[in-house]
Amino acid sequence: MSQFERRDSNSYLRIKLRLLITFNNGNVEDDYFIENISKGGMFIEADSIPSVGSKLTINFALPHNNKSYKVNSKVAWVREEKPNYPPGFGVQFLDLTEHDAEEIRDSLEQYADIFNLDT
């Protein structure tokens, strides 16, 4: 089940989206849930948090978009557990092609329209 919420953050449309992803930090590959996504990055819920600057390879697919994405990224910031917010970390996509970035942005805009989210 996905939950959508439209909000502006860092000049990119960011959508709250509960989505299962896989990432590899060079040592371990595991599955995690994301809390939100934009064409520039995502927030990953995790109890084990890598250091800021750590490099990760992330694999994901958006609902209603049959394309899988494999993106190199880096940990941009971390959030320790606090009331009403799960622990995790934000990643910045490093090598997403402009075509894929626009495809993701277009998909997020469609979700916002479908679910009648405020801009």
Side-chain angles (χ1 to χ4, degrees):
M1 176 179 355
S2 300
Q3 180 181 7
F4 299 90
E5 175 182 286
R6 186 175 195 158
R7 61 188 164 112
D8 292 327
S9 175
N10 299 330
S11 79
Y12 293 136
L13 170 66
R14 184 168 300 276
I15 298 289
K16 184 168 182 141
L17 173 65
R18 186 102 171 126
L19 181 70
L20 186 66
I21 61 143
T22 300
F23 80 73
N24 185 320
N25 67 5
N27 299 320
V28 177
E29 183 170 290
D30 213 344
D31 294 330
Y32 294 87
F33 282 102
I34 68 166
E35 181 178 282
N36 61 57
I37 184 170
S38 75
K39 75 173 193 172
M42 62 177 57
F43 180 81
I44 301 170
E45 293 180 17
D47 291 323
S48 177
I49 300 174
S51 302
V52 171
S54 297
K55 306 287 183 176
L56 308 171
T57 301
I58 299 174
N59 298 293
F60 66 97
L62 295 173
H64 311 293
N65 176 342
N66 293 326
K67 181 173 181 180
S68 293
Y69 300 92
K70 182 176 182 178
V71 183
N72 290 315
S73 61
K74 73 173 180 178
V75 177
W77 61 278
V78 300
R79 178 172 71 200
E80 301 297 330
E81 187 169 5
K82 57 185 185 177
N84 301 318
Y85 294 99
F89 54 96
V91 298
Q92 176 185 3
F93 299 146
L94 297 177
D95 64 355
L96 193 64
T97 67
E98 188 59 32
H99 178 271
D100 285 348
E102 294 307 313
E103 202 170 65
I104 290 170
R105 187 205 66 212
D106 291 347
S107 292
L108 297 179
E109 286 178 350
Q110 288 174 2
Y111 298 150
D113 291 340
I114 290 169
F115 290 94
N116 205 18
L117 303 175
D118 294 331
T119 56

Short mmCIF file of all heavy atoms in Angstrom, two decimals, residues 19-85:
data_model
loop_
_atom_site.label_atom_id
_atom_site.label_comp_id
_atom_site.label_asym_id
_atom_site.label_seq_id
_atom_site.Cartn_x
_atom_site.Cartn_y
_atom_site.Cartn_z
N LEU A 19 7.57 2.43 -0.07
CA LEU A 19 8.01 1.59 -1.19
C LEU A 19 9.20 0.75 -0.75
O LEU A 19 10.11 1.24 -0.10
CB LEU A 19 8.42 2.52 -2.34
CG LEU A 19 8.89 1.90 -3.64
CD1 LEU A 19 7.72 1.23 -4.35
CD2 LEU A 19 9.47 2.98 -4.54
N LEU A 20 9.17 -0.53 -1.09
CA LEU A 20 10.28 -1.43 -0.78
C LEU A 20 11.39 -1.25 -1.81
O LEU A 20 11.13 -1.24 -3.02
CB LEU A 20 9.79 -2.88 -0.79
CG LEU A 20 10.80 -3.94 -0.35
CD1 LEU A 20 11.16 -3.77 1.12
CD2 LEU A 20 10.23 -5.34 -0.59
N ILE A 21 12.61 -1.07 -1.33
CA ILE A 21 13.77 -0.94 -2.20
C ILE A 21 14.85 -1.91 -1.74
O ILE A 21 14.78 -2.47 -0.65
CB ILE A 21 14.35 0.50 -2.18
CG1 ILE A 21 14.82 0.86 -0.75
CG2 ILE A 21 13.34 1.50 -2.68
CD1 ILE A 21 16.05 1.68 -0.72
N THR A 22 15.87 -2.08 -2.55
CA THR A 22 17.05 -2.86 -2.18
C THR A 22 18.26 -1.95 -2.33
O THR A 22 18.35 -1.20 -3.30
CB THR A 22 17.21 -4.08 -3.11
OG1 THR A 22 16.06 -4.89 -2.99
CG2 THR A 22 18.44 -4.89 -2.75
N PHE A 23 19.16 -1.98 -1.35
CA PHE A 23 20.40 -1.26 -1.56
C PHE A 23 21.59 -2.09 -1.12
O PHE A 23 21.49 -2.99 -0.32
CB PHE A 23 20.39 0.13 -0.93
CG PHE A 23 20.65 0.21 0.54
CD1 PHE A 23 21.92 0.01 1.06
CD2 PHE A 23 19.64 0.56 1.41
CE1 PHE A 23 22.17 0.13 2.42
CE2 PHE A 23 19.87 0.69 2.77
CZ PHE A 23 21.14 0.46 3.27
N ASN A 24 22.72 -1.78 -1.73
CA ASN A 24 23.98 -2.46 -1.47
C ASN A 24 25.00 -1.40 -1.09
O ASN A 24 25.19 -0.44 -1.83
CB ASN A 24 24.42 -3.20 -2.74
CG ASN A 24 25.66 -4.03 -2.53
OD1 ASN A 24 26.58 -3.61 -1.85
ND2 ASN A 24 25.68 -5.19 -3.12
N ASN A 25 25.62 -1.58 0.06
CA ASN A 25 26.63 -0.62 0.49
C ASN A 25 28.05 -1.12 0.25
O ASN A 25 29.00 -0.63 0.83
CB ASN A 25 26.44 -0.25 1.96
CG ASN A 25 26.71 -1.40 2.90
OD1 ASN A 25 27.14 -2.48 2.48
ND2 ASN A 25 26.47 -1.18 4.18
N GLY A 26 28.18 -2.12 -0.61
CA GLY A 26 29.49 -2.69 -0.89
C GLY A 26 29.75 -3.96 -0.12
O GLY A 26 30.52 -4.80 -0.53
N ASN A 27 29.10 -4.11 1.03
CA ASN A 27 29.29 -5.29 1.86
C ASN A 27 28.03 -6.14 1.96
O ASN A 27 28.10 -7.35 1.95
CB ASN A 27 29.70 -4.88 3.29
CG ASN A 27 31.00 -4.13 3.32
OD1 ASN A 27 31.92 -4.46 2.60
ND2 ASN A 27 31.05 -3.09 4.12
N VAL A 28 26.89 -5.49 2.08
CA VAL A 28 25.64 -6.19 2.34
C VAL A 28 24.55 -5.64 1.42
O VAL A 28 24.47 -4.44 1.20
CB VAL A 28 25.20 -5.98 3.81
CG1 VAL A 28 23.87 -6.64 4.08
CG2 VAL A 28 26.25 -6.51 4.76
N GLU A 29 23.73 -6.55 0.90
CA GLU A 29 22.56 -6.14 0.14
C GLU A 29 21.34 -6.51 0.96
O GLU A 29 21.25 -7.62 1.47
CB GLU A 29 22.52 -6.83 -1.22
CG GLU A 29 21.36 -6.38 -2.07
CD GLU A 29 21.44 -6.89 -3.49
OE1 GLU A 29 22.32 -6.43 -4.24
OE2 GLU A 29 20.64 -7.77 -3.82
N ASP A 30 20.42 -5.56 1.13
CA ASP A 30 19.25 -5.81 1.96
C ASP A 30 18.08 -4.99 1.47
O ASP A 30 18.25 -4.05 0.69
CB ASP A 30 19.56 -5.46 3.41
CG ASP A 30 18.81 -6.36 4.39
OD1 ASP A 30 17.85 -7.03 3.97
OD2 ASP A 30 19.19 -6.38 5.58
N ASP A 31 16.89 -5.34 1.94
CA ASP A 31 15.66 -4.63 1.58
C ASP A 31 15.26 -3.66 2.68
O ASP A 31 15.39 -3.98 3.87
CB ASP A 31 14.50 -5.62 1.36
CG ASP A 31 14.72 -6.51 0.16
OD1 ASP A 31 15.39 -6.09 -0.79
OD2 ASP A 31 14.20 -7.64 0.17
N TYR A 32 14.78 -2.49 2.28
CA TYR A 32 14.34 -1.44 3.20
C TYR A 32 13.12 -0.76 2.62
O TYR A 32 12.84 -0.85 1.43
CB TYR A 32 15.45 -0.39 3.40
CG TYR A 32 16.65 -0.94 4.10
CD1 TYR A 32 17.68 -1.56 3.40
CD2 TYR A 32 16.77 -0.84 5.48
CE1 TYR A 32 18.78 -2.08 4.06
CE2 TYR A 32 17.88 -1.35 6.15
CZ TYR A 32 18.88 -1.97 5.43
OH TYR A 32 19.97 -2.47 6.08
N PHE A 33 12.43 0.00 3.46
CA PHE A 33 11.33 0.84 2.99
C PHE A 33 11.80 2.28 2.89
O PHE A 33 12.61 2.72 3.71
CB PHE A 33 10.13 0.77 3.95
CG PHE A 33 9.31 -0.47 3.80
CD1 PHE A 33 9.44 -1.51 4.68
CD2 PHE A 33 8.41 -0.59 2.73
CE1 PHE A 33 8.69 -2.67 4.53
CE2 PHE A 33 7.67 -1.74 2.58
CZ PHE A 33 7.80 -2.78 3.48
N ILE A 34 11.27 2.98 1.91
CA ILE A 34 11.53 4.41 1.85
C ILE A 34 10.33 5.15 2.42
O ILE A 34 9.22 4.61 2.46
CB ILE A 34 11.84 4.91 0.42
CG1 ILE A 34 10.62 4.82 -0.49
CG2 ILE A 34 13.03 4.18 -0.15
CD1 ILE A 34 10.77 5.59 -1.78
N GLU A 35 10.57 6.38 2.86
CA GLU A 35 9.51 7.23 3.39
C GLU A 35 9.05 8.24 2.34
O GLU A 35 7.89 8.60 2.27
CB GLU A 35 10.02 7.96 4.63
CG GLU A 35 9.00 8.85 5.28
CD GLU A 35 9.56 9.50 6.52
OE1 GLU A 35 9.63 8.81 7.57
OE2 GLU A 35 9.93 10.68 6.45
N ASN A 36 10.00 8.72 1.52
CA ASN A 36 9.64 9.65 0.46
C ASN A 36 10.69 9.60 -0.64
O ASN A 36 11.79 9.07 -0.44
CB ASN A 36 9.46 11.07 1.00
CG ASN A 36 10.71 11.63 1.63
OD1 ASN A 36 11.76 11.70 1.01
ND2 ASN A 36 10.60 12.04 2.88
N ILE A 37 10.34 10.18 -1.80
CA ILE A 37 11.22 10.16 -2.96
C ILE A 37 11.02 11.41 -3.79
O ILE A 37 9.92 11.97 -3.83
CB ILE A 37 10.97 8.89 -3.81
CG1 ILE A 37 11.97 8.79 -4.97
CG2 ILE A 37 9.53 8.81 -4.28
CD1 ILE A 37 11.94 7.46 -5.70
N SER A 38 12.09 11.84 -4.43
CA SER A 38 12.05 12.91 -5.42
C SER A 38 12.97 12.48 -6.56
O SER A 38 13.59 11.41 -6.48
CB SER A 38 12.52 14.23 -4.83
OG SER A 38 13.93 14.24 -4.68
N LYS A 39 13.08 13.30 -7.59
CA LYS A 39 13.98 12.93 -8.68
C LYS A 39 15.44 13.06 -8.26
O LYS A 39 16.32 12.56 -8.94
CB LYS A 39 13.70 13.74 -9.93
CG LYS A 39 14.18 15.15 -9.90
CD LYS A 39 13.99 15.81 -11.26
CE LYS A 39 14.76 17.11 -11.35
NZ LYS A 39 14.75 17.66 -12.68
N GLY A 40 15.69 13.69 -7.10
CA GLY A 40 17.06 13.88 -6.65
C GLY A 40 17.53 12.95 -5.56
O GLY A 40 18.71 12.86 -5.27
N GLY A 41 16.57 12.21 -4.93
CA GLY A 41 16.97 11.32 -3.85
C GLY A 41 15.77 10.76 -3.12
O GLY A 41 14.63 10.88 -3.56
N MET A 42 16.03 10.13 -1.97
CA MET A 42 14.97 9.50 -1.18
C MET A 42 15.40 9.41 0.27
O MET A 42 16.58 9.53 0.58
CB MET A 42 14.62 8.12 -1.72
CG MET A 42 15.75 7.12 -1.68
SD MET A 42 15.33 5.42 -2.24
CE MET A 42 14.73 5.65 -3.88
N PHE A 43 14.41 9.20 1.14
CA PHE A 43 14.68 8.93 2.55
C PHE A 43 14.42 7.44 2.79
O PHE A 43 13.35 6.94 2.46
CB PHE A 43 13.81 9.76 3.48
CG PHE A 43 14.09 9.48 4.93
CD1 PHE A 43 15.18 10.07 5.55
CD2 PHE A 43 13.31 8.60 5.64
CE1 PHE A 43 15.47 9.79 6.89
CE2 PHE A 43 13.58 8.31 6.97
CZ PHE A 43 14.67 8.91 7.59
N ILE A 44 15.39 6.75 3.37
CA ILE A 44 15.32 5.31 3.62
C ILE A 44 15.19 5.07 5.12
O ILE A 44 16.02 5.55 5.90
CB ILE A 44 16.57 4.60 3.07
CG1 ILE A 44 16.69 4.84 1.57
CG2 ILE A 44 16.54 3.11 3.41
CD1 ILE A 44 18.01 4.39 0.96
N GLU A 45 14.15 4.35 5.53
CA GLU A 45 13.97 3.98 6.93
C GLU A 45 14.92 2.84 7.25
O GLU A 45 14.93 1.82 6.55
CB GLU A 45 12.54 3.54 7.19
CG GLU A 45 11.53 4.65 7.04
CD GLU A 45 10.11 4.18 7.30
OE1 GLU A 45 9.92 3.10 7.91
OE2 GLU A 45 9.19 4.90 6.89
N ALA A 46 15.70 2.99 8.32
CA ALA A 46 16.65 1.94 8.69
C ALA A 46 17.10 2.13 10.13
O ALA A 46 17.29 3.26 10.59
CB ALA A 46 17.87 1.99 7.77
N ASP A 47 17.25 1.02 10.84
CA ASP A 47 17.79 1.07 12.20
C ASP A 47 19.31 1.15 12.16
O ASP A 47 19.92 1.78 13.01
CB ASP A 47 17.36 -0.17 12.99
CG ASP A 47 15.87 -0.16 13.28
OD1 ASP A 47 15.32 0.93 13.53
OD2 ASP A 47 15.26 -1.24 13.25
N SER A 48 19.91 0.50 11.18
CA SER A 48 21.36 0.54 10.99
C SER A 48 21.64 1.62 9.95
O SER A 48 21.30 1.46 8.78
CB SER A 48 21.85 -0.83 10.52
OG SER A 48 23.22 -0.78 10.27
N ILE A 49 22.26 2.70 10.39
CA ILE A 49 22.41 3.88 9.53
C ILE A 49 23.87 4.03 9.12
O ILE A 49 24.76 4.14 9.96
CB ILE A 49 21.93 5.14 10.28
CG1 ILE A 49 20.46 4.97 10.66
CG2 ILE A 49 22.15 6.38 9.44
CD1 ILE A 49 19.91 6.07 11.52
N PRO A 50 24.13 4.08 7.80
CA PRO A 50 25.51 4.30 7.35
C PRO A 50 25.95 5.74 7.63
O PRO A 50 25.12 6.63 7.86
CB PRO A 50 25.45 4.04 5.84
CG PRO A 50 24.01 3.93 5.48
CD PRO A 50 23.21 3.85 6.72
N SER A 51 27.22 5.98 7.57
CA SER A 51 27.77 7.31 7.82
C SER A 51 27.46 8.26 6.67
O SER A 51 27.35 7.83 5.51
CB SER A 51 29.29 7.24 7.96
OG SER A 51 29.65 6.37 8.99
N VAL A 52 27.33 9.55 6.99
CA VAL A 52 27.17 10.56 5.95
C VAL A 52 28.35 10.45 4.99
O VAL A 52 29.49 10.30 5.42
CB VAL A 52 27.09 11.97 6.57
CG1 VAL A 52 27.14 13.05 5.50
CG2 VAL A 52 25.83 12.11 7.41
N GLY A 53 28.06 10.49 3.71
CA GLY A 53 29.09 10.36 2.68
C GLY A 53 29.26 8.94 2.15
O GLY A 53 29.91 8.74 1.13
N SER A 54 28.69 7.95 2.85
CA SER A 54 28.78 6.55 2.40
C SER A 54 28.12 6.40 1.03
O SER A 54 27.10 7.03 0.75
CB SER A 54 28.09 5.61 3.38
OG SER A 54 28.70 5.63 4.63
N LYS A 55 28.69 5.55 0.20
CA LYS A 55 28.16 5.29 -1.14
C LYS A 55 27.29 4.04 -1.11
O LYS A 55 27.64 3.04 -0.47
CB LYS A 55 29.28 5.08 -2.15
CG LYS A 55 30.29 6.20 -2.20
CD LYS A 55 29.74 7.42 -2.85
CE LYS A 55 30.85 8.44 -2.92
NZ LYS A 55 30.71 9.62 -3.52
N LEU A 56 26.15 4.10 -1.79
CA LEU A 56 25.20 2.98 -1.87
C LEU A 56 24.74 2.82 -3.31
O LEU A 56 24.63 3.79 -4.05
CB LEU A 56 23.96 3.26 -1.02
CG LEU A 56 24.14 3.64 0.43
CD1 LEU A 56 22.79 4.09 1.00
CD2 LEU A 56 24.68 2.48 1.22
N THR A 57 24.41 1.59 -3.68
CA THR A 57 23.73 1.32 -4.94
C THR A 57 22.31 0.93 -4.59
O THR A 57 22.09 0.00 -3.81
CB THR A 57 24.41 0.19 -5.73
OG1 THR A 57 25.77 0.57 -5.98
CG2 THR A 57 23.69 -0.06 -7.03
N ILE A 58 21.33 1.67 -5.13
CA ILE A 58 19.93 1.47 -4.80
C ILE A 58 19.18 0.94 -6.01
O ILE A 58 19.35 1.45 -7.11
CB ILE A 58 19.28 2.79 -4.34
CG1 ILE A 58 20.00 3.29 -3.09
CG2 ILE A 58 17.80 2.61 -4.08
CD1 ILE A 58 19.55 4.66 -2.64
N ASN A 59 18.36 -0.09 -5.78
CA ASN A 59 17.49 -0.65 -6.82
C ASN A 59 16.04 -0.42 -6.39
O ASN A 59 15.67 -0.75 -5.27
CB ASN A 59 17.73 -2.15 -6.97
CG ASN A 59 19.14 -2.46 -7.41
OD1 ASN A 59 19.53 -2.13 -8.51
ND2 ASN A 59 19.91 -3.06 -6.53
N PHE A 60 15.24 0.13 -7.30
CA PHE A 60 13.83 0.36 -6.98
C PHE A 60 13.01 0.47 -8.26
O PHE A 60 13.55 0.67 -9.36
CB PHE A 60 13.64 1.63 -6.14
CG PHE A 60 13.98 2.91 -6.84
CD1 PHE A 60 12.99 3.67 -7.43
CD2 PHE A 60 15.28 3.36 -6.88
CE1 PHE A 60 13.30 4.86 -8.08
CE2 PHE A 60 15.61 4.55 -7.52
CZ PHE A 60 14.61 5.30 -8.12
N ALA A 61 11.71 0.30 -8.11
CA ALA A 61 10.75 0.50 -9.19
C ALA A 61 9.58 1.26 -8.60
O ALA A 61 9.18 1.01 -7.46
CB ALA A 61 10.29 -0.83 -9.77
N LEU A 62 9.05 2.20 -9.37
CA LEU A 62 7.88 2.96 -8.91
C LEU A 62 6.61 2.22 -9.26
O LEU A 62 6.54 1.58 -10.31
CB LEU A 62 7.87 4.35 -9.55
CG LEU A 62 9.03 5.26 -9.17
CD1 LEU A 62 8.98 6.53 -10.00
CD2 LEU A 62 8.98 5.58 -7.69
N PRO A 63 5.58 2.33 -8.42
CA PRO A 63 4.28 1.72 -8.76
C PRO A 63 3.76 2.33 -10.06
O PRO A 63 3.96 3.51 -10.32
CB PRO A 63 3.38 2.09 -7.59
CG PRO A 63 4.27 2.55 -6.51
CD PRO A 63 5.53 3.02 -7.13
N HIS A 64 3.10 1.54 -10.85
CA HIS A 64 2.51 1.97 -12.12
C HIS A 64 3.56 2.39 -13.13
O HIS A 64 3.25 3.06 -14.11
CB HIS A 64 1.50 3.11 -11.91
CG HIS A 64 0.52 2.83 -10.82
ND1 HIS A 64 -0.42 1.85 -10.93
CD2 HIS A 64 0.35 3.39 -9.61
CE1 HIS A 64 -1.14 1.82 -9.82
NE2 HIS A 64 -0.68 2.73 -9.01
N ASN A 65 4.81 2.03 -12.91
CA ASN A 65 5.89 2.30 -13.85
C ASN A 65 6.71 1.02 -13.87
O ASN A 65 7.35 0.68 -12.89
CB ASN A 65 6.73 3.49 -13.35
CG ASN A 65 7.92 3.77 -14.22
OD1 ASN A 65 8.35 2.94 -15.01
ND2 ASN A 65 8.49 4.95 -14.07
N ASN A 66 6.68 0.31 -14.96
CA ASN A 66 7.30 -1.02 -15.02
C ASN A 66 8.81 -0.99 -15.14
O ASN A 66 9.43 -2.01 -15.34
CB ASN A 66 6.70 -1.82 -16.17
CG ASN A 66 5.25 -2.16 -15.91
OD1 ASN A 66 4.86 -2.39 -14.78
ND2 ASN A 66 4.46 -2.18 -16.96
N LYS A 67 9.41 0.18 -15.03
CA LYS A 67 10.85 0.29 -15.19
C LYS A 67 11.54 0.18 -13.83
O LYS A 67 11.12 0.78 -12.84
CB LYS A 67 11.21 1.63 -15.83
CG LYS A 67 12.68 1.80 -16.04
CD LYS A 67 12.98 3.04 -16.83
CE LYS A 67 14.48 3.14 -17.05
NZ LYS A 67 14.83 4.34 -17.80
N SER A 68 12.64 -0.58 -13.79
CA SER A 68 13.47 -0.67 -12.60
C SER A 68 14.63 0.30 -12.74
O SER A 68 15.16 0.49 -13.83
CB SER A 68 14.03 -2.08 -12.44
OG SER A 68 12.99 -2.98 -12.16
N TYR A 69 15.01 0.92 -11.62
CA TYR A 69 16.11 1.86 -11.60
C TYR A 69 17.21 1.31 -10.71
O TYR A 69 16.95 0.77 -9.64
CB TYR A 69 15.66 3.22 -11.06
CG TYR A 69 14.57 3.86 -11.87
CD1 TYR A 69 13.23 3.65 -11.55
CD2 TYR A 69 14.87 4.65 -12.97
CE1 TYR A 69 12.22 4.23 -12.31
CE2 TYR A 69 13.86 5.23 -13.73
CZ TYR A 69 12.55 5.02 -13.39
OH TYR A 69 11.55 5.58 -14.13
N LYS A 70 18.45 1.46 -11.16
CA LYS A 70 19.63 1.10 -10.36
C LYS A 70 20.50 2.35 -10.33
O LYS A 70 20.99 2.79 -11.37
CB LYS A 70 20.39 -0.06 -10.98
CG LYS A 70 21.59 -0.51 -10.17
CD LYS A 70 22.24 -1.72 -10.78
CE LYS A 70 23.40 -2.18 -9.93
NZ LYS A 70 24.01 -3.40 -10.48
N VAL A 71 20.63 2.93 -9.12
CA VAL A 71 21.24 4.24 -9.00
C VAL A 71 22.33 4.25 -7.94
O VAL A 71 22.11 3.78 -6.82
CB VAL A 71 20.16 5.29 -8.62
CG1 VAL A 71 20.75 6.68 -8.57
CG2 VAL A 71 18.98 5.23 -9.56
N ASN A 72 23.49 4.80 -8.29
CA ASN A 72 24.52 5.03 -7.29
C ASN A 72 24.13 6.30 -6.53
O ASN A 72 23.62 7.26 -7.12
CB ASN A 72 25.89 5.20 -7.94
CG ASN A 72 26.38 3.90 -8.50
OD1 ASN A 72 26.29 2.86 -7.85
ND2 ASN A 72 26.91 3.93 -9.71
N SER A 73 24.34 6.27 -5.23
CA SER A 73 23.93 7.40 -4.40
C SER A 73 24.89 7.54 -3.23
O SER A 73 25.73 6.68 -3.00
CB SER A 73 22.50 7.20 -3.90
OG SER A 73 22.42 6.02 -3.12
N LYS A 74 24.72 8.66 -2.51
CA LYS A 74 25.51 8.84 -1.28
C LYS A 74 24.59 9.30 -0.17
O LYS A 74 23.58 9.97 -0.40
CB LYS A 74 26.65 9.83 -1.48
CG LYS A 74 26.22 11.25 -1.60
CD LYS A 74 27.43 12.18 -1.63
CE LYS A 74 26.95 13.62 -1.74
NZ LYS A 74 28.04 14.55 -1.73
N VAL A 75 24.96 8.93 1.06
CA VAL A 75 24.19 9.34 2.23
C VAL A 75 24.46 10.82 2.46
O VAL A 75 25.60 11.24 2.67
CB VAL A 75 24.59 8.51 3.47
CG1 VAL A 75 23.84 9.00 4.70
CG2 VAL A 75 24.32 7.03 3.23
N ALA A 76 23.37 11.63 2.40
CA ALA A 76 23.50 13.08 2.55
C ALA A 76 23.26 13.54 3.98
O ALA A 76 23.84 14.52 4.42
CB ALA A 76 22.53 13.78 1.61
N TRP A 77 22.39 12.83 4.70
CA TRP A 77 22.07 13.19 6.09
C TRP A 77 21.45 12.00 6.78
O TRP A 77 21.01 11.06 6.13
CB TRP A 77 21.16 14.41 6.15
CG TRP A 77 19.82 14.23 5.49
CD1 TRP A 77 19.54 14.34 4.16
CD2 TRP A 77 18.59 13.89 6.13
NE1 TRP A 77 18.20 14.09 3.92
CE2 TRP A 77 17.59 13.82 5.12
CE3 TRP A 77 18.22 13.64 7.45
CZ2 TRP A 77 16.27 13.50 5.39
CZ3 TRP A 77 16.89 13.34 7.71
CH2 TRP A 77 15.93 13.28 6.69
N VAL A 78 21.45 12.02 8.12
CA VAL A 78 20.88 10.92 8.90
C VAL A 78 19.88 11.48 9.91
O VAL A 78 19.98 12.64 10.33
CB VAL A 78 21.96 10.09 9.62
CG1 VAL A 78 22.91 9.47 8.63
CG2 VAL A 78 22.70 10.91 10.64
N ARG A 79 18.93 10.62 10.30
CA ARG A 79 17.96 10.98 11.34
C ARG A 79 17.93 9.85 12.35
O ARG A 79 17.61 8.71 12.02
CB ARG A 79 16.57 11.19 10.73
CG ARG A 79 15.51 11.52 11.78
CD ARG A 79 14.19 11.93 11.18
NE ARG A 79 13.52 10.79 10.56
CZ ARG A 79 12.56 10.91 9.64
NH1 ARG A 79 12.19 12.09 9.20
NH2 ARG A 79 11.98 9.84 9.15
N GLU A 80 18.27 10.18 13.57
CA GLU A 80 18.16 9.21 14.66
C GLU A 80 16.68 9.07 14.99
O GLU A 80 15.87 9.94 14.66
CB GLU A 80 18.94 9.69 15.88
CG GLU A 80 20.42 9.91 15.63
CD GLU A 80 21.18 8.65 15.24
OE1 GLU A 80 20.78 7.55 15.69
OE2 GLU A 80 22.17 8.76 14.50
N GLU A 81 16.33 7.99 15.68
CA GLU A 81 14.92 7.79 16.05
C GLU A 81 14.47 8.90 16.99
O GLU A 81 15.18 9.28 17.90
CB GLU A 81 14.74 6.43 16.72
CG GLU A 81 13.30 6.09 16.97
CD GLU A 81 13.10 4.65 17.37
OE1 GLU A 81 14.09 3.92 17.54
OE2 GLU A 81 11.94 4.25 17.51
N LYS A 82 13.26 9.42 16.70
CA LYS A 82 12.64 10.39 17.58
C LYS A 82 11.13 10.21 17.50
O LYS A 82 10.65 9.54 16.58
CB LYS A 82 13.06 11.81 17.24
CG LYS A 82 12.79 12.26 15.83
CD LYS A 82 13.38 13.65 15.63
CE LYS A 82 13.02 14.19 14.26
NZ LYS A 82 13.51 15.53 14.06
N PRO A 83 10.37 10.75 18.45
CA PRO A 83 8.92 10.53 18.46
C PRO A 83 8.27 10.87 17.11
O PRO A 83 8.54 11.92 16.54
CB PRO A 83 8.42 11.47 19.56
CG PRO A 83 9.59 11.62 20.47
CD PRO A 83 10.80 11.59 19.58
N ASN A 84 7.46 9.95 16.63
CA ASN A 84 6.70 10.10 15.39
C ASN A 84 7.54 10.09 14.11
O ASN A 84 7.02 10.35 13.03
CB ASN A 84 5.83 11.36 15.41
CG ASN A 84 4.84 11.34 16.55
OD1 ASN A 84 4.23 10.31 16.84
ND2 ASN A 84 4.71 12.46 17.22
N TYR A 85 8.84 9.84 14.22
CA TYR A 85 9.70 9.79 13.04
C TYR A 85 10.62 8.57 13.14
O TYR A 85 11.36 8.42 14.11
CB TYR A 85 10.57 11.04 12.93
CG TYR A 85 9.76 12.29 12.68
CD1 TYR A 85 9.44 13.14 13.74
CD2 TYR A 85 9.32 12.60 11.41
CE1 TYR A 85 8.69 14.28 13.51
CE2 TYR A 85 8.58 13.75 11.18
CZ TYR A 85 8.26 14.58 12.23
OH TYR A 85 7.52 15.71 12.02
#
